[in-house]
Amino acid sequence: MKIDETYTKIIKLDDEEKIGYAYFRHTNKYLNYIDLTYLMMQKNPYDFSVLNTTAAKDYINSKTNKIKSDFSGILQEQLFIPAGTNSEIQHLPRYIDIFAHRHNFFEIVCTTKGRCLHKVENKEVIMTQGDITIIPPNVMHYLRAEPDCVTLTIKIRKSTFDSVFSALIRSGSTLSAYFTQTLYSKHYRNSLTFHCGQDAFLPELLLYMFSQQTEKKRHYNHVLDGLLATFFPYLVQNFENTIELASGDNVQNERMMEIESYMRQNYRTATLKSTAQHFYLTPSYLSTTIKKQTGYTFSNIIQRMKMEQAAHLLVDTSMKVEQICENVGYQDSTQFIRTFKKYYGITPHRYRKETVTGKQQTSQPLPAE
C-alpha cells in the first residue's frame, strides 16, 4: 500500500473542488454545496450564470427545505457511513461552503496541513497542523478548508464508541470522561481538541486508514476498526496534556460529571441510596437529576457499566463466568447470565466464543426503563 499516492490524490483537486475553484476565481467566494449539486446536474457545470435562474433558485430552496424536513436538522449516519462498516473517512473539500449542521454520529476532524476554519456552536476557531477535534452527536458545527488545507474527517457510528471503545471509556482518562458525557447525555454541546503539532505518526496513520477505505481490500473494515482502536489510545498516551475543551451550549453541570465518575468507580456496589448519600442528596432528587440530564435511569447506567466490564473480562481474560459474575457485583450467577443475555442477546459463554472467532456484533443500545 503506497500512502504517498493516497496523499497525492488528496492534495489534487477533485472534480467538485475544480468547480469550486473556478467559482472562487470568478466571484472570490466559496461555492455553496447545494449550489454545487445543481451545477453538477448541468451539461456545463462551469456556467455559473444558471444559478441566477428561477429553476436553480427553486431547486436550491426545495433541496434546503427537504434536508430540514427529512432529517429534522440532524444528518443521519446511514447516509454517510456505509452499511457493514463503523466509520467513513473523507477529505474536507476546498473552495466549497458546506452548511452548518448537526449529525447523530461522532465526527473527528484532523488537520494535517494548512488552516481550517471550524465553528462549534457559537465558538469559532482556526485549526492548524496537528489539531484533532472530536465532535459528538447533536452538536452544531461548520467547517471551511482554506486553499492550502488538508483536513480529513472521520465519521464514526455512536454505537461504535459505545462498544468498540468501551475499554477506553473505562480508562479514567480525560477522554474517557468526555466520551461518557457524550454517550450518556442528551444535551452535551462541547467539542474536544488535541493539539498534536508536527507528530509524524498520526498523519501516516490517517493516510493508511484512508488508503484501506479507498482500496477496499478483503477485511478492510476490520482493519479500519483496529486502526481506530489504536488512534484514540495514542492520542491519550501522547497528547492528553494538550486537550482543549470548547464550551458550547452545555447544560451538563459539574455535579453531574462528579456523579457519573463516582458511579463508574463504584458500579459494583453503588446503589441509588448510597450514591445520594455520598453527594448529600435525597435519592428522589438524584434519580430525577440523572434522568433529566442523561435520559436514562440510575439502574440503566449501572447495569450498562456492569455489562461492559463483564464483556471485557470475557474477551480479555480467562476468568470463569462465575468469577466474572462476582467481579462485576452480581451475587447470583443465574441473574447475571439472564441480564447479560437480555443486554447482548446471547449468553456469556457464547459471547466469549463468538468474539474470539470474530463473529460478535456490536452491543445493543442501552435499554430504557
Side-chain angles (χ1 to χ4, degrees), residues 145-175:
E146 295 192 2
D148 65 340
C149 178
V150 175
T151 290
L152 296 177
T153 63
I154 311 173
K155 298 169 176 61
I156 308 176
R157 297 184 192 278
K158 186 175 180 180
S159 59
T160 301
F161 275 96
D162 206 6
S163 55
V164 176
F165 303 118
S166 60
L168 182 61
I169 292 171
R170 294 192 302 270
S171 67
S173 65
T174 301
L175 192 59

Side-chain angles (χ1 to χ4, degrees), residues 196-221:
C196 306
Q198 298 184 18
D199 180 82
F201 175 72
L202 286 170
E204 186 170 330
L205 177 61
L206 289 165
L207 286 173
Y208 193 82
M209 292 164 62
F210 196 88
S211 297
Q212 282 284 340
Q213 179 181 283
T214 302
E215 296 180 17
K216 288 184 169 54
K217 293 181 178 179
R218 187 183 180 191
H219 303 310
Y220 82 94
N221 53 329

Side-chain angles (χ1 to χ4, degrees), residues 185-237:
S185 174
K186 297 185 297 183
H187 309 289
Y188 204 70
R189 295 289 185 268
N190 283 355
S191 66
L192 183 145
T193 298
F194 291 86
H195 299 288
C196 306
Q198 298 184 18
D199 180 82
F201 175 72
L202 286 170
E204 186 170 330
L205 177 61
L206 289 165
L207 286 173
Y208 193 82
M209 292 164 62
F210 196 88
S211 297
Q212 282 284 340
Q213 179 181 283
T214 302
E215 296 180 17
K216 288 184 169 54
K217 293 181 178 179
R218 187 183 180 191
H219 303 310
Y220 82 94
N221 53 329
H222 299 301
V223 174
L224 278 176
D225 289 347
L227 294 174
L228 279 173
T230 299
F231 179 78
F232 289 105
Y234 183 84
L235 284 178
V236 174
Q237 179 189 66

